[in-house]
Amino acid sequence: MTAAVNIPIAGFVDVYDVAAVDRALQELPASASEALKSTYEKMLKAGGTRLTVKPSGIPGMEALYGELPNFAEVLDDIKKHIALCASSSDPMELPPMLLLGEPGIGKTHFGRRMAQLLATGFGFVSMSSMTAGWILSGASSQWKNAKPGKVFDTLLNGTYANPVMVVDEVDKAGGDSQYDPLGALYALLEHDTAAQFIDEFVEIPVDASSVVWVATANDASRIPEPILNRMNVYEIDPPDAEGARRIAQSIYAEIRATHDWGRSFPGTPAADVLDRLAEMGPRDMRRAIMNAFGNAKLAGRDDIRLADIAEGRGAKKSRIGF
């Protein structure tokens, strides 16, 4: 695979109408909130145009398959959609996807790696601790301390019209009879309605039709059927022992590569260290590796040893992985 194949092709999309924003700003009453006024001013300053990107060819994904061995089915489907658009003028289109599986098996990490693969932006919202219905769609500016939702915020403050948006733990979304935290997804997961999505704070249509949606959950039975029907659903199994070792190596390499101090550590940890890490889920792996780097430095060493690793909270000795 040549380097040129992995260079993303960029286009431009207007995610909101600047003239409409300017009119809304001029028509604001004196009693309007300062937050809304500031948001309109920021929209004008940023402009409404954002990049939309797609791979120029099918990228080399061997390393990603190795890093995320239990996501092979999802990666296969993503590769098909890349192949369909890469050699044409069509934009990148990926259907919304729901990743079902046990806690800590790497679903959120997969979303971040997917954004890197597509060379686009990344947005994240956790539904497990959110009870307000406006977390995705914004709250009316008439409410005290109201603000835009995560969708609008990601498009306004980001560079891309087609970021990967991870909605984590949708099955744990709280709410009451008046506010449904998942209500905005009914429109956002449909291309036509997403193209005219209205954030309740801003009250100006934004084009969210290019957003790539990745939802994660542990229990599909707690997700409304109309939302399930809008997504491709994948069951993600825990990796086997060898797969868990590859995930541990990948997380180690990622942490090492993204810190200046990481250069003093070897590219691959010792075999017994990988064996211990493979007994944990990816979430606990990351925590354990960061702590192990620190323990090694405190001991005056530039290599991680078995004694530097505390047992992860999610480790289960009776079963490899999770």
Side-chain angles (χ1 to χ4, degrees):
M1 193 67 65
T2 64
V5 170
N6 295 318
I7 298 174
I9 297 174
F12 296 94
V13 170
D14 288 330
V15 295
Y16 56 81
D17 184 350
V18 172
V21 177
D22 187 52
R23 287 194 300 272
L25 178 61
Q26 300 304 320
E27 294 171 1
L28 275 180
S31 59
S33 75
E34 285 298 316
L36 180 58
K37 179 182 178 182
S38 296
T39 299
Y40 285 157
E41 290 172 344
K42 186 172 185 178
M43 291 172 74
L44 292 176
K45 183 177 180 180
T49 303
R50 299 292 182 273
L51 282 170
T52 178
V53 293
K54 68 175 183 179
S56 59
I58 302 175
M61 295 172 61
E62 294 80 8
L64 202 54
Y65 277 96
E67 175 186 337
L68 298 165
N70 47 335
F71 288 82
E73 181 185 2
V74 195
L75 293 172
D76 286 346
D77 283 354
I78 290 173
K79 185 185 292 187
K80 294 171 189 175
H81 286 282
I82 292 175
L84 287 171
C85 75
S87 60
S88 71
S89 59
D90 292 338
M92 182 74 218
E93 291 184 36
L94 282 172
M97 59 189 72
L98 172 65
L99 310 179
L100 287 175
E102 299 175 15
I105 62 173
K107 300 186 296 292
T108 304
H109 175 66
F110 170 83
R112 294 184 184 276
R113 293 294 284 114
M114 185 174 163
Q116 294 171 7
L117 173 70
L118 300 177
T120 189
F122 178 81
F124 177 85
V125 55
S126 174
M127 305 302 294
S128 61
S129 60
M130 301 297 182
T131 58
W134 48 260
I135 187 63
L136 287 171
S137 60
S140 170
S141 61
Q142 298 179 19
W143 291 92
K144 184 179 181 181
N145 299 323
K147 58 183 179 180
K150 287 293 293 185
V151 177
F152 172 84
D153 186 70
T154 300
L155 292 173
L156 173 62
N157 295 302
T159 305
Y160 302 95
N162 62 336
V164 172
M165 178 71 73
V166 172
V167 185
D168 197 38
E169 298 185 311
V170 293
D171 53 332
K172 294 189 173 82
D176 54 36
S177 59
Q178 186 177 5
Y179 299 110
D180 178 6
L182 300 180
L185 288 179
Y186 291 96
L188 288 166
L189 297 180
E190 294 281 5
H191 183 274
D192 292 344
T193 50
Q196 290 289 316
F197 177 70
I198 296 180
D199 184 277
E200 292 185 24
F201 181 81
V202 182
E203 295 186 325
I204 289 174
V206 295
D207 185 354
S209 62
S210 298
V211 172
V212 178
W213 291 97
V214 179
T216 77
N218 308 137
D219 183 3
S221 68
R222 300 180 60 183
I223 302 173
E225 190 66 28
I227 290 180
L228 284 176
N229 289 339
R230 285 166 165 81
M231 297 186 288
N232 287 352
V233 181
Y234 300 90
E235 294 273 0
I236 308 299
D237 296 321
D240 59 20
E242 181 54 35
R245 283 174 57 89
R246 294 202 301 269
I247 291 172
Q249 168 61 43
S250 173
I251 294 174
Y252 172 93
E254 177 193 344
I255 294 174
R256 176 181 177 271
T258 53
H259 294 85
D260 183 62
W261 47 258
R263 292 181 297 176
S264 61
F265 286 84
T268 302
D272 59 345
V273 169
L274 281 178
D275 288 340
R276 173 66 61 82
L277 291 170
E279 297 174 355
M280 307 174 187
R283 188 177 301 161
D284 288 311
M285 282 182 194
R286 183 173 298 275
R287 205 160 25 228
I289 292 170
M290 279 298 297
N291 287 334
F293 276 125
N295 289 335
K297 279 296 185 183
L298 287 174
R301 289 183 276 104
D302 288 328
D303 65 298
I304 292 177
R305 299 178 185 176
L306 199 58
D308 297 323
I309 298 176
E311 183 172 314
R313 288 181 291 181
K316 295 182 181 179
K317 293 185 178 180
S318 61
R319 180 182 179 186
I320 291 296
F322 310 88

